Amino acid sequence: MKRADEQQALRALQAALAAEHAAVYGYGVVGGRITEARRTEVRAAYDAHRARRDALAREVRGLGTEPVAASAAYALPFAVPDSPTAVRLAAELEDRVAGVYSDLVRATTGARRREAAGALREAAVRAVRWRGGSVAFPGLAERAGTGTDTGEAGPSVSPPVSGTARPTV
């Protein structure tokens, strides 16, 4: 791989790791608001995102770089007072993760690309389960009109909350 390609892949890996940190946080919120009937589904998604997060951190370390750290807190895209909004948040989390993995697919090759495509597929399937419907191109619809470049995506910073800026979930 050329040096520029390596840097692009590393940026995309770090963005995927940041998205997984945000998803783990977000599923903590979802789990606190979801009905008992869907708690197993939340736990499975939470565990899947933790496993992906840990694997990405190991991969970044293996490339000789310090993995991006999780934020202490994340600003939610909307209030989550009840189970229906928790379901909506879960679908949003999966859409955002899928978008970042689509960037990773585009930025990498070989086994890393296959792994990213698998993560994109898993996020898209979870989003469908939460939403009850699918989108034509999972991971790409979320990118329409965002102006993000490969590897530059990740949790964005929302306006300060209580005097501190926090990345959004």
Side-chain angles (χ1 to χ4, degrees), residues 67-93:
V68 65
S71 294
Y74 294 83
L76 300 175
F78 46 83
V80 185
D82 54 24
S83 186
T85 55
V87 168
R88 197 170 117 222
L89 177 59
E92 177 74 16
L93 292 170

Side-chain angles (χ1 to χ4, degrees), residues 56-65:
L56 287 165
R58 283 190 301 275
E59 189 168 358
V60 169
R61 275 191 204 94
L63 294 172
T65 302

Side-chain angles (χ1 to χ4, degrees), residues 33-167:
R33 300 283 190 261
I34 203 77
T35 62
E36 185 67 35
R38 296 197 82 176
R39 287 241 166 94
T40 301
E41 197 174 351
V42 171
R43 174 49 89 178
Y46 178 80
D47 289 345
H49 286 292
R50 284 183 52 201
R52 290 266 181 210
R53 177 201 63 193
D54 295 348
L56 287 165
R58 283 190 301 275
E59 189 168 358
V60 169
R61 275 191 204 94
L63 294 172
T65 302
E66 188 64 26
V68 65
S71 294
Y74 294 83
L76 300 175
F78 46 83
V80 185
D82 54 24
S83 186
T85 55
V87 168
R88 197 170 117 222
L89 177 59
E92 177 74 16
L93 292 170
E94 297 301 345
D95 286 343
R96 291 179 183 206
V97 167
V100 175
Y101 278 114
S102 73
D103 290 343
L104 187 56
V105 167
R106 188 171 53 234
T108 58
T109 60
R112 192 174 286 148
R113 177 178 273 175
R114 281 189 298 280
E115 187 67 23
L120 169 57
R121 182 180 53 252
E122 289 171 13
V125 168
R126 281 190 298 266
V128 166
R129 287 184 182 140
W130 288 117
R131 188 181 299 106
S134 64
V135 296
F137 297 101
L140 298 179
E142 297 74 31
R143 295 299 196 223
T146 63
T148 57
D149 244 4
T150 300
E152 299 301 321
S156 59
V157 177
S158 64
V161 176
S162 303
T164 60
R166 294 186 286 178

